[in-house]
Amino acid sequence: ADDFGEPCEVSRTSERLRPNCVRLCTEVVAVSCIRYGSVARVLLPATFVTVTLCIPGELSGQVIQLRDPRPVVRIEPTTAGGDSVVFGTIVGATRLSDGTIVVADPLTPAILYFDRSARLLSVTGRRGGGPGEFGRIRWIGQCARDTVFAFEQARIQVFTNRGKVVRTIDAGGHLPGQLFCTRSGVIAAVGAGDWSVPGAPGVRRVRAQAWTFGTDGRLRREIGTIPVTDAAWDGGVWQPTPLGRQMFLSFDGADLIMGDGESATLASFSPSGTWKTGPSLGAIAARKPTDDDVDAGILALLALAPNRQSRAIHDIFARLPRPDAMPPYHRVMADGAGRVWVQLSVVGTAPTRLRWVDRKTGRTGDLTIAAALVLQEVGPDYLLALEELPSGEQRVVEYALIER
């Protein structure tokens, strides 16, 4: 019966169209009633009708939760008792198909492989310019299944799932500033941008060329010029602003997803070279940055500096203009199951607030984790992140996800 006590009979068959839609093929005997927000009553004669109901994700019952509020894997930066350093600053982490977690320490420099018990399996790398050697690791990713790609200033080294170097490739004939890749073998690169133009007091958006290339180093497609970061003119040079608008890329299948930090709407770039707008992340409340937010943003900028805690460098960033409002998100990552995740909270602050959007249905959902995390990778059933510790160190954590 509906809210007025009048009878509603729904019979015959129903067909599940997609997770939040159902098509009802039914015989309506008396009154067809559907309540959504306010009550709507439609009087129909006895007949067969076809009705499609699509309910927003927050009303459809589907949520993504942590299977356990504690990490299922926790890799500490020091051995038990703190008598030996395992790794320093981490520049990236990825999980292989057998559960092995791979992390890159740019200062050692080395790539480390850990099992599910956080036991160190192997270490690859030393300082140098030869195969298996590094000057400074800037990024790692899986650009092919169970194959680790490590990016330096001008080359990418390819390693097996146990750390054996396979080959070296260039970055598509250009000098990239950032890399992103899909496990099907497509790599997106973004140039460093033009930081040399004369400036004046104020903030401007640095832009850079972007392109894709294959694991053979061959150029696939020029993407064009895209916004990269906000920068402020200080001391005769442009400096990236803490908590300024940042560009983030991630692959969802063959599509390259871009979030430019301008709004809560993402964009996608197809292999054919077509830009599309969407999906939307929904409403994200604007708020002013706090001092803690700014400090966390500065530490994120200094993550690769040898003297990360240097007060002098910290003070340079601290005097730059802070935005009137926070960017809508601080990370963008696809999970391989059709969803794109963003980190709403400032990286390295607690609690960590995440939001996902399903690209097909537009459904969104939120997930909050008590720890201060920097999101590294999301899969259909797991989340890999760096946890910022009060000591200033980082540990690697993996959380198990479950869909209900």
Side-chain angles (χ1 to χ4, degrees), residues 178 180 190 205 226-228 245-249 258-260:
Q178 301 179 67
F180 310 84
V190 181
R205 198 80 192 265
I226 62 175
V228 177
R245 296 165 297 176
Q246 298 286 326
M247 178 278 308
F248 299 102
L249 297 177
M258 185 181 83
D260 62 8

Side-chain angles (χ1 to χ4, degrees), residues 260-295:
D260 62 8
E262 294 279 359
S263 70
T265 300
L266 304 176
S268 64
F269 184 79
S270 70
S272 63
T274 303
W275 280 106
K276 290 184 178 181
T277 301
S280 171
L281 298 166
I284 299 177
R287 68 180 183 89
K288 294 181 70 66
T290 65
D291 290 341
D292 288 342
D293 291 331
V294 174
D295 195 56

Side-chain angles (χ1 to χ4, degrees), residues 139-182:
W139 171 88
I140 64 168
Q142 281 187 74
C143 305
R145 179 181 171 87
D146 291 336
T147 306
V148 178
F149 287 60
F151 168 52
E152 295 178 88
Q153 184 64 30
R155 66 172 181 167
I156 301 170
Q157 295 192 72
V158 184
F159 297 87
T160 67
N161 60 349
R162 287 297 176 261
K164 181 181 178 181
V165 63
V166 177
R167 58 195 170 92
T168 300
I169 61 177
D170 66 28
H174 303 273
L175 186 62
Q178 301 179 67
L179 291 183
F180 310 84
C181 74
T182 175

